[in-house]
Amino acid sequence: MKYLIKSPEDVLRASVQLPASKSISNRALILNALSYSPYDIQNLSDCDDTEVMIKALNSNGCDFDIKAAGTAMRFLTAFLSKVIGEWTITGTERMKNRPIKLLVDALNSLGARIEYIEKEGYPPLRIFGSALQGGEISLAGGVSSQYISALLMIAPLMENGLTLNLEGNIISRPYINLTLQLMEQFGVKATWNGQTIKILPQEYKPIHFTVESDWSAASYWYAMMALSKNAEVELLGLFKNSLQGDATGAQLFAQLGVGTTFTDRGVRLKHNGNVVKKLVYNFINEPDLAQTFVVVCVLLNIPFRFTGLQSLKIKETDRIEALKTELRKLGYLLTDSNDSILEWNGERCEPEADPVIATYEDHRMAMAFAPAALVLPQGITIADPGVVTKSYPTFWDNLRKEGFTVKEV
């Protein structure tokens, strides 16, 4: 299936109810389960990743297929390692090629017993759940924060707790902070001094919990605002003092001409008239925003140099390579280096006559490119648009509601 997206005929005037945060939803579900809570979490995300997490946690079975949900794979691997029983966990073909060895090795060193069913270092896994001894381990700070968060959430239930030494540069620090702040809301305290996080044996406490709207989802509407000069956009359900690291996107988009005003309903966006000549930024703490900013910058003809992108290589796809390939179809030549840097100096090439943007089973590829409909006369054609259900199931419906043409071709 392919969708052709075309710009609204009139100036964009949008009021959008954003989806709940996937990052918070999936962490809250694990913490809710670990606290044996009788309460249901309010405003859970209705995305694929959260649905597979709910299904697994409510299942009476022993075999789990989490499809393409990376968060669920990492969090459930750790969770199941401490639940008495024998479990298997698998996913899509892409998931079977996303590394999990660092997490498995860490868990096994803490007393878990996890085996690979097919390929060494990758799902599917066989997990023999048992009480975990815990203790002190070291882990590279440059690995996915989901590995770290998975370990932290089960740490207070280990017999000796957990002392986690993070070596080298720590990426995605806000996601680790998010996990620790949510753990504290559920009654568990941790200390983070320098490169070491320490969690003593403790018990989680059940609480009433409501999930806030998703700042990552907001980024696509910020992108539309940046590309549509006279637009006015209201995004509902965002908190000014958000726990989400991607909330910093508001300050970053201010450099692309988008101003943010907080209200009791969320945020209002308007153009501030300030647009940088070149954008240089380290996305080490906000890797999920990178695709959005890459696409917006080239469409605004703003050269950029983005660093801190090393985790993009092991996401739903190799996002660095995917961005280079798909933007070449639109006539933009990007360069990358060191597996962590992506830049554009203004170099162009002949665009394809009828480009179709491949999405690589990656929800963020589809949503990052969709705003291009506002500046491309022929609109933008997106392949496999259903991938958005991974984090933002109502994305295409929201576009239609706000005047975009979204039709199957």
Side-chain angles (χ1 to χ4, degrees), residues 34 52 72 80 109 151-152 155 179 187 203 214 268 330 341 362:
L34 291 171
V52 297
L80 292 171
S109 73
L151 293 169
L152 294 177
T179 301
E203 291 186 0
D214 184 21
R268 289 186 180 276
L330 300 183
I341 301 170
D362 185 350

Side-chain angles (χ1 to χ4, degrees), residues 215-231:
W215 273 97
S216 303
S219 72
Y220 309 115
W221 293 94
Y222 271 86
M224 294 178 219
M225 190 74 193
L227 296 171
S228 184
K229 294 303 181 188
N230 297 311

Side-chain angles (χ1 to χ4, degrees), residues 29-30 33 50-67 76 79-80 83-89:
L29 282 167
I30 293 291
T50 300
E51 285 187 4
V52 297
M53 183 81 84
I54 293 170
K55 184 177 179 181
L57 292 171
N58 291 338
S59 172
N60 292 320
C62 300
D63 304 306
F64 307 105
D65 182 356
I66 54 75
K67 300 181 172 57
L76 286 172
F79 177 82
L80 292 171
V83 179
I84 305 298
E86 182 177 333
W87 321 99
T88 66
I89 185 167

Side-chain angles (χ1 to χ4, degrees), residues 46-346:
D46 60 354
C47 70
D48 290 350
D49 281 23
T50 300
E51 285 187 4
V52 297
M53 183 81 84
I54 293 170
K55 184 177 179 181
L57 292 171
N58 291 338
S59 172
N60 292 320
C62 300
D63 304 306
F64 307 105
D65 182 356
I66 54 75
K67 300 181 172 57
T71 314
M73 174 60 74
R74 281 82 179 258
F75 290 179
L76 286 172
T77 294
F79 177 82
L80 292 171
S81 73
K82 62 153 294 295
V83 179
I84 305 298
E86 182 177 333
W87 321 99
T88 66
I89 185 167
T90 189
T92 61
E93 282 304 309
R94 170 60 184 168
M95 183 58 63
K96 291 180 179 181
N97 287 284
R98 295 180 70 178
I100 200 166
K101 179 175 170 55
L102 284 172
L103 177 59
V104 169
D105 285 352
L107 288 166
N108 283 342
S109 73
L110 295 166
R113 182 185 166 198
I114 305 172
E115 300 174 351
Y116 301 108
I117 295 174
E118 295 178 8
K119 185 167 57 172
E120 180 79 13
Y122 298 86
L125 305 174
R126 181 172 288 108
I127 302 168
F128 301 90
S130 63
L132 301 183
Q133 181 178 354
E136 183 169 356
I137 62 170
S138 296
L139 204 63
V143 303
S144 169
S145 64
Q146 292 176 9
Y147 296 150
I148 298 168
S149 291
L151 293 169
L152 294 177
M153 286 189 287
I154 64 168
L157 304 178
M158 297 177 186
E159 292 178 9
N160 298 314
L162 176 67
T163 299
L164 179 58
N165 300 307
L166 299 175
E167 299 177 336
N169 191 30
I170 301 172
I171 68 171
S172 302
R173 186 181 288 266
Y175 286 99
I176 303 173
N177 272 323
L178 171 62
T179 301
L180 293 175
Q181 288 179 72
L182 290 173
M183 289 169 61
E184 186 168 356
Q185 290 189 32
F186 279 85
V188 165
K189 293 189 180 298
T191 59
W192 188 352
N193 294 317
Q195 300 282 108
T196 300
I197 302 173
K198 187 169 186 176
I199 301 173
L200 298 174
Q202 300 164 67
E203 291 186 0
Y204 285 108
K205 295 178 174 59
I207 62 170
H208 294 281
F209 189 85
T210 300
V211 180
E212 63 178 297
S213 289
D214 184 21
W215 273 97
S216 303
S219 72
Y220 309 115
W221 293 94
Y222 271 86
M224 294 178 219
M225 190 74 193
L227 296 171
S228 184
K229 294 303 181 188
N230 297 311
E232 292 184 7
V233 175
E234 180 185 36
L235 303 176
L236 306 177
L238 296 173
F239 298 173
K240 185 173 185 178
N241 298 315
S242 174
L243 296 177
Q244 300 172 64
D246 284 354
T248 58
Q251 287 79 49
L252 192 52
F253 265 108
Q255 298 185 58
L256 300 183
V258 182
T260 301
T261 302
F262 285 90
T263 71
D264 56 359
R265 288 159 50 93
V267 300
R268 289 186 180 276
L269 309 182
K270 284 193 175 181
H271 285 279
N272 62 22
N274 302 318
V275 180
V276 296
K277 293 182 178 179
K278 180 176 182 177
L279 187 60
V280 178
Y281 192 73
N282 184 341
F283 279 95
I284 196 78
N285 290 327
E286 308 92 0
D288 285 342
L289 297 183
Q291 288 146 294
T292 308
F293 278 93
V294 166
V295 175
V296 170
C297 282
V298 298
L299 293 174
L300 289 175
N301 202 36
I302 297 174
F304 64 81
R305 187 176 192 271
F306 296 155
T307 58
L309 305 180
Q310 47 266 53
S311 67
L312 267 61
K313 303 287 287 187
I314 59 168
K315 294 286 189 177
E316 284 77 353
T317 185
D318 179 341
R319 288 176 171 173
I320 291 177
E321 197 59 38
L323 285 165
K324 289 170 57 184
T325 300
E326 301 312 307
L327 284 170
R328 190 181 299 116
K329 295 177 182 178
L330 300 183
Y332 303 95
L333 293 176
L334 279 59
T335 58
D336 68 301
S337 57
N338 202 34
D339 284 340
S340 63
I341 301 170
L342 192 59
E343 50 192 324
W344 181 61
N345 62 9

